[in-house]
Amino acid sequence: MSTSRTVDRAFETALYDTADDALDTAASLLAADPAADAELAARGAEFVAAAWRRGWQPADLVRVVRRELGPEHVRSVAALIRAQAPRDRPRGPRWAAQLDALPDGAAPPRTDRFSHAGAVLELYRLLLRLPALEPVVAEEAGEAGEKAGGGREGRPESRALARIRALLAKAEATGYPQEAEALSAKAQELMARHSVDEALLSAHAPSPDAPGACRIGVDPPYEQAKAVLLDAVADANHCRAVWNEPLGFSTVVGFEADLEAVELLYTSLLVQAEAAMTKAEAAQRAGGRGRTKTFRQSFLAAYAHRAGTRLRAAAEAATADSGSAADVDLLPVLASREVAVTERLERMFPETTTTRLRGVSDAAGWTEGTRAADHARVGRHRPLA
């Protein structure tokens, strides 16, 4: 029997039948034919290319494989993505950054061919059944296609974003809440000013930017509260977020500078929130309370609510100051960009639903989460000396 036929028979047996004995039968076929390994890897690269055509990205594949399968499968999909990368067209810095962030694809020593073949088939079975996603990167080649997928994504990182990134890194690292508060506040102020600068530049450009989109992972546990936090950060930075609970991510729609701000600030606030939550929970447990799950859920929900309120206030104040300093009326510019973002969102997601946040029933968790958000607040402060 030819190597290709061996793989075909294994796929016919395992990929279209969810029974465990079908998987074992197919794994036995592959284990008995060492020459099938190269063909099996080539088929895996085809599955990855098909996922790209259905709107998936490298980080998306790694995320769903990690959620549904195990570490061996994550290593395998990372290796497949790296093998496929040289055949792909350039897709912008965000895609390249996802490739750079792939987990180690080196496989550990195999115990036996049968187990390895079974794991590969489990991975391919998952890849085969992935649904189509709303595309966030344009598939058309050339400058026009890149613009439709995110406008200014091809430029190098600005000095403002580099400074924002440094401020947030310091906020995450410090053990002093007041210092973290001041650093986060300065970062949000710079984000708002940077957004205004980008809006004015685009408004006067011969070919104004179009809004793009990106996906940001929302990982368990307590993913509902985390999705609310991401939504609040997106709203404060002129973006809109739609949460896909089954697949563990939110799609954020907005202009490129604002998308970068949302990614940076959400990640930083989540790190700060989890550190504060762990500290507050330890104090609660020292006092004899043990409702860990409800405490954490309520803590993060309160944190998201409070942080969102303060983010919006800080962004509005910084935007007003920027407009006054530039002696321009920003309202028409910002209004037109809000309309563009809404139109892009509605094209991508013609139907959305709202979800009630569950499990927010611990008063102490809510109180501590609100207090932690106050410490991480992003109101206006004088910069640190």
Side-chain angles (χ1 to χ4, degrees):
M1 182 185 300
S2 69
T3 296
S4 179
R5 180 57 183 157
T6 299
V7 175
D8 287 339
R9 282 191 59 195
F11 282 10
E12 290 168 4
T13 302
L15 299 192
Y16 303 98
D17 188 339
T18 58
D20 290 338
D21 57 346
L23 191 70
D24 290 344
T25 300
S28 297
L29 287 172
L30 294 173
D33 186 1
D37 290 356
E39 177 69 14
L40 192 62
R43 300 287 184 94
E46 293 173 4
F47 281 124
V48 169
W52 298 167
R53 291 192 294 271
R54 296 201 300 276
W56 290 72
Q57 296 189 338
D60 301 327
L61 283 193
V62 171
R63 185 185 306 113
V64 74
V65 171
R66 182 176 286 120
R67 284 169 64 96
E68 299 295 331
L69 299 173
E72 180 179 355
H73 305 86
V74 172
R75 287 190 293 267
S76 295
V77 79
L80 291 175
I81 293 170
R82 288 192 179 92
Q84 175 62 23
R87 307 184 184 98
D88 288 333
R89 66 172 178 82
R91 299 171 188 258
R94 183 173 279 113
W95 188 286
Q98 293 182 24
L99 293 177
D100 291 340
L102 286 172
D104 185 7
R110 299 181 189 174
T111 54
D112 60 83
R113 289 184 53 80
F114 175 80
S115 298
H116 174 71
V120 171
L121 290 170
E122 286 175 329
L123 172 61
Y124 291 3
R125 179 187 282 180
L126 174 63
L127 296 181
L128 179 67
R129 288 165 169 74
L130 292 178
L133 298 179
E134 301 78 12
V136 295
V137 175
E139 286 299 323
E140 296 83 359
E143 183 177 350
E146 288 298 324
K147 184 174 181 180
R152 301 168 65 85
E153 196 168 327
R155 66 187 177 183
E157 182 174 77
S158 68
R159 291 179 61 187
L161 283 174
R163 188 179 178 195
I164 290 166
R165 195 185 300 276
L167 286 168
L168 293 175
K170 291 180 180 178
E172 295 164 23
T174 182
Y176 299 97
Q178 290 183 340
E179 184 180 14
E181 171 190 331
L183 291 165
S184 297
K186 188 63 178 176
Q188 176 59 56
E189 181 181 338
L190 288 177
M191 287 176 182
R193 295 180 186 277
H194 182 56
S195 178
V196 168
D197 291 343
E198 291 291 308
L200 292 174
L201 285 173
S202 177
H204 295 90
S207 178
D209 287 345
C214 69
R215 297 192 192 100
I216 298 177
V218 181
D219 298 319
Y222 316 112
E223 55 266 47
Q224 272 196 327
K226 294 175 183 177
V228 171
L229 177 61
L230 177 52
D231 184 77
V233 174
D235 182 67
N237 287 279
H238 314 293
C239 296
R240 301 280 296 279
V242 176
W243 181 36
N244 187 320
E245 183 176 6
L247 296 178
F249 63 77
S250 285
T251 301
V252 183
V253 179
F255 287 85
E256 183 58 32
D258 298 328
L259 293 177
E260 292 170 331
V262 171
E263 288 180 294
L264 288 173
L265 188 55
Y266 169 69
T267 302
S268 179
L269 288 178
L270 191 58
V271 169
Q272 295 181 55
E274 291 181 339
M277 179 175 65
T278 300
K279 185 176 180 180
E281 183 188 27
Q284 290 289 316
R285 295 180 69 178
R289 301 190 61 197
R291 292 185 293 167
T292 301
K293 184 175 181 179
T294 55
F295 178 87
R296 290 190 166 204
Q297 179 77 3
S298 300
F299 182 103
L300 288 174
Y303 186 98
H305 175 75
R306 188 73 159 190
T309 299
R310 297 190 176 277
L311 281 168
R312 285 188 292 272
E316 289 168 2
T319 298
D321 283 354
S322 296
S324 300
D327 196 25
V328 297
D329 185 1
L330 285 174
L331 289 180
V333 175
L334 297 180
S336 66
R337 287 167 76 87
E338 182 178 352
V339 169
V341 169
T342 300
E343 290 177 347
R344 174 69 188 268
L345 181 84
E346 291 176 348
R347 288 197 303 271
M348 293 180 68
F349 304 99
E351 296 182 6
T352 59
T353 60
T354 57
T355 300
R356 177 182 292 274
L357 187 60
R358 300 181 297 270
V360 183
S361 58
D362 190 298
W366 185 272
T367 300
E368 292 297 332
T370 300
R371 182 178 293 119
D374 283 340
H375 285 311
R377 68 183 184 267
V378 287
R380 301 183 60 215
H381 297 267
R382 296 176 60 189
L384 295 176

